Amino acid sequence: MTVTIVGSQLGDEGKGALVDLWGGDADVVARYQGGDNAGHTVVEGGDEYKLSLVPSGAVRDKVGVLGNGCVVNPKTLFSEIDELRERGLDPDVRVARRAHVIMPYHRVLDGIEEEAKSDSDLDAGTTGRGIGPTYEDKAGRRGIRVGDLLDPDVLRDRLEYVVPQKRALAEDVFGIDAGEAFDVDAVFEEYREIGERLKTESMTVNAGEFLGSFLDDGDDVLFEGAQGTSIDIDHGIYPYVTSSNPTAGGAATGTGIGPTVVGRGEVVGIVKAYLSRVGTGPLPTELTGDDEDLADEIREKGGEFGTVTGRPRRIGWLDVPMLRHASRTNGFTGIAVNHVDVLAGLDEVKVGHSYDLDGEELFTMPATTERWGRCEPNLREFEPWGEVDWTAVAADGYDAIPENARAYLDYISTEVDAPIYAVGVGPDREETIELANPFDE
Ligand code: GDP
Ligand code: IMO
Ligand code: MG
C-alpha cells in the first residue's frame, strides 16, 4: 500500500519527522515534487539530519526515489549523498529519468526574476534554488530531463536550443552579464560528466515501473510531500507559491503510480500547531504589532529559522480555514499535529477559527490571494497549557498530554474531519506520540 505525507499549511510543518517515523515501516520512500527548496529535518537519538533532496527515509536505510515530478539539482544531490556517507549512512537514491534537471542558468534566473518582481511586490521570497525557472521550462517543453544527461548527443542538442535563449533573456531583458552558467560548452561538459556518474552508480530509474514493481510484490511505499498545500501552485496563495503540486494528487502524477492506488492508501496531513511562513504575501493570523514579542517567543522556542536559507520564519496563530481547505484538497485520512510543546507555557493560545470578509463569515480560504489578504480572522481562545517534561509525556503516550492541549487537538481533528495519527511534542523521533500507524489502517 501507499501512505502519502502532505504539508497542510505553508511548509515546514515537520513532515520530515513523520516520514522518518513511518518510513521505518515502508520499503521505499519517494519524493514526488519540488527539489532542493525543501528542508526536512530528522532527529534520531539527538543526531540531526537536514535533508533537501535525499528522501528522509535515507536515515532509516530505505531506498529513496526522486519521482518524475521532482526537479533535481544533481550537484546538491551528490553533495548530500556524500555528506550522509561521511556520517556513516549509505543512502540508496534513485532518480526518475523523467525528472527535470535544475541547470545553472535556472538558479541565476530565479534570483534576477525575484529581484525584478520585487518592484511590484510579486516576489515570492523564493529559496533561490532555481525551482520556478525549471518548472517553467518543463511546461514550456524546453527542459532538460535526467534521462537526457545520459546521452551526450541529446544533451548537446537540447542545450544548443535552450541556452542561447536563456542568455538572451538574462542579457537583453534583465541586463545582467551572463557568465558560464549560460555557456553551452561549459554547461555541456559539466552535465555530461554528471550523467556519467548517474550512469556509473546506476542511479536512474523509470520511476513508475520501479515503484510499481515494489507495490506488485506487496511492499509498502511512502510518498514524501515537500512544501505545503497553501504554497501549491494550484491550490495555494498564488503568486506567493512554489511551482509544483505538494497536494496529494501530485503523488500520482509525480511518480507514475495511479491515483486509484494512491487513493486506496492513506493520505496524512501534517499540521503545525501554529503557523510559520518563510516568504512573502499576506498572512491573516500573523502575530505582528503588539503581538511581536509573542511571535519572537514562539520563533525562538520552535527554532523557526529556515532549514534551507536560515531566514527567520514569520509566525501566526493556527489558521483553521486553511486546514479545512487542505483537508478537502488532499482528502486526508488522518493528520499528525506537531509542535504542541512549543505552545506550552504561553499566556494565551488562539486560533483563527473563521474569517470575516466584507461582513461575511468564511470557513475556508477564498480563491484569490487579494481577498485572502483582506480576511480578518475570527479568533477563538483556548485554555493554555503549561510546560511539562515532554520526553516523559512522549514515553507515557497520548493521555499524558496536558488536558488543555488535548482539547486543542480534539478541536483540530473535528474541524478537519480526520483522526489524529500522531502528535509531535519535540523534534526527536522519540518525541512523536503515535496513536495509529497509517500502514496498519
Ligand atoms: P518539514 O520541512 O516539514 O520537514 O519541517 P522542517 O524540518 O523544515 O521544520 C520543522 C522543525 O521543527 C525541524 O527543526 C524539526 O526538527 C522540528 N520539529 C518537528 N516536529 C516537532 C515538534 O513536535 N516539536 C518541536 N519542538 N519541534 C519539532
Ligand atoms: P519544506 O519541504 C516552506 C516557499 C518559499 C517561497 C515559495 C517559492 O521544507 O516544507 P521556491 O524556492 O519553491 O520557488 O519558493 O515557496 N517555500 C517553502 N516554504 N517550506 C518549504 O519546503 C518551502 N519550499 C519553498 O519561501 O515563498
Ligand atoms: Mg522544511
Side-chain angles (χ1 to χ4, degrees):
M1 72 174 285
T2 69
V3 169
T4 304
I5 300 293
V6 181
S8 302
Q9 294 146 319
L10 297 154
D12 302 327
E13 300 89 349
K15 297 175 291 294
L18 277 307
V19 171
D20 171 61
L21 180 71
W22 291 320
D25 297 305
D27 298 284
V28 190
V29 176
R31 290 259 317 255
Y32 55 88
Q33 44 71 236
D36 57 342
N37 49 347
H40 296 178
T41 315
V42 173
V43 188
E44 182 209 7
D47 287 333
E48 188 178 67
Y49 299 88
K50 288 187 179 293
L51 303 162
S52 284
L53 206 46
V54 170
S56 301
V59 180
R60 297 269 206 169
D61 276 339
K62 302 294 170 178
V63 179
V65 175
L66 295 173
N68 55 276
C70 294
V71 286
V72 180
N73 185 330
K75 292 192 253 181
T76 313
L77 180 62
F78 291 149
S79 70
E80 216 166 271
I81 290 175
D82 293 345
E83 262 172 50
L84 289 170
R85 284 188 182 147
E86 275 166 31
R87 291 183 68 177
L89 297 175
D90 187 20
D92 179 357
V93 183
R94 312 300 177 95
V95 190
R97 285 193 277 271
R98 287 188 169 96
H100 280 248
V101 183
I102 300 179
M103 303 300 285
Y105 45 85
H106 290 132
R107 281 181 73 125
V108 177
L109 288 168
D110 192 352
I112 56 181
E113 291 195 30
E114 277 279 285
E115 207 180 309
K117 281 177 172 173
S118 66
D119 292 340
S120 325
D121 282 339
L122 289 172
D123 54 318
T126 73
T127 59
R129 298 299 190 265
I131 305 297
T134 308
Y135 278 115
E136 241 180 82
D137 279 356
K138 171 180 176 174
R141 295 164 295 182
R142 66 180 94 83
I144 311 280
R145 304 205 297 179
V146 169
D148 301 336
L149 302 183
L150 308 179
D151 184 331
D153 292 336
V154 174
L155 177 62
R156 180 109 218 165
D157 283 352
R158 298 271 192 276
L159 290 174
E160 277 176 2
Y161 173 74
V162 75
V163 175
Q165 281 188 14
K166 298 296 170 191
R167 173 178 281 273
L169 180 65
E171 289 179 343
D172 303 342
V173 177
F174 293 110
I176 67 148
D177 186 16
E180 281 225 321
F182 297 81
D183 181 279
V184 175
D185 291 333
V187 174
F188 173 73
E189 273 315 314
E190 189 176 13
Y191 282 76
R192 189 183 54 78
E193 275 178 31
I194 285 171
E196 282 297 318
R197 176 166 174 188
L198 289 169
K199 221 189 280 184
T200 314
E201 299 193 18
S202 307
M203 285 177 70
T204 71
V205 292
N206 179 338
E209 266 179 23
F210 185 75
L211 292 167
S213 68
F214 278 89
L215 291 168
D216 288 345
D217 290 345
D219 286 338
D220 290 326
V221 177
L222 187 74
F223 291 125
E224 173 177 4
Q227 288 81 51
T229 303
S230 278
I231 53 173
D232 180 290
I233 185 129
D234 285 284
H235 304 288
I237 50 169
Y238 193 92
Y240 308 106
V241 293
T242 192
S243 300
S244 67
N245 287 120
T247 44
T253 49
T255 62
I257 295 300
T260 47
V261 177
V262 174
R264 276 198 296 275
E266 291 273 321
V267 177
V268 186
I270 313 303
V271 178
K272 183 176 271 186
Y274 49 90
L275 272 194
S276 71
R277 163 74 168 146
V278 273
T280 50
L283 198 61
T285 61
E286 184 166 17
L287 291 166
T288 52
D290 290 348
D291 289 326
E292 237 151 60
D293 287 350
L294 195 51
D296 288 343
E297 193 179 337
I298 295 173
R299 184 180 302 111
E300 289 300 327
K301 202 162 160 212
E304 296 294 355
F305 298 88
T307 309
V308 176
T309 57
R311 291 179 287 183
R313 295 175 181 152
R314 298 159 68 191
I315 303 293
W317 292 127
L318 191 72
D319 185 320
V320 183
M322 183 185 282
L323 292 183
R324 295 187 192 102
H325 171 67
S327 185
R328 175 180 32 75
T329 309
N330 295 292
F332 291 152
T333 55
I335 57 169
V337 184
N338 281 323
H339 299 85
V340 168
D341 55 309
V342 177
L343 293 183
L346 299 183
D347 293 336
E348 47 177 356
V349 173
K350 293 180 185 165
V351 302
H353 176 75
S354 61
Y355 305 133
D356 191 12
L357 180 64
D358 300 333
E360 198 189 336
E361 187 175 16
L362 303 183
F363 290 89
T364 185
M365 293 171 87
T368 71
T369 305
E370 290 68 27
R371 277 169 59 79
W372 189 55
R374 288 199 291 109
C375 285
E376 279 297 325
N378 292 312
L379 296 175
R380 187 177 277 199
E381 195 154 356
F382 283 76
E383 288 294 327
W385 52 94
E387 274 297 356
V388 291
D389 177 348
W390 291 104
T391 313
V393 166
D396 290 346
Y398 188 78
D399 291 339
I401 296 174
E403 195 180 341
N404 290 345
R406 275 185 283 132
Y408 188 77
L409 292 165
D410 283 347
Y411 162 81
I412 298 172
S413 174
T414 305
E415 295 302 321
V416 301
D417 196 20
I420 294 182
Y421 285 176
V423 181
V425 296
D428 208 287
R429 188 185 292 162
E430 298 301 321
E431 290 167 325
T432 302
I433 300 170
E434 187 183 68
L435 285 84
N437 180 333
F439 282 113
D440 296 336
E441 293 299 302

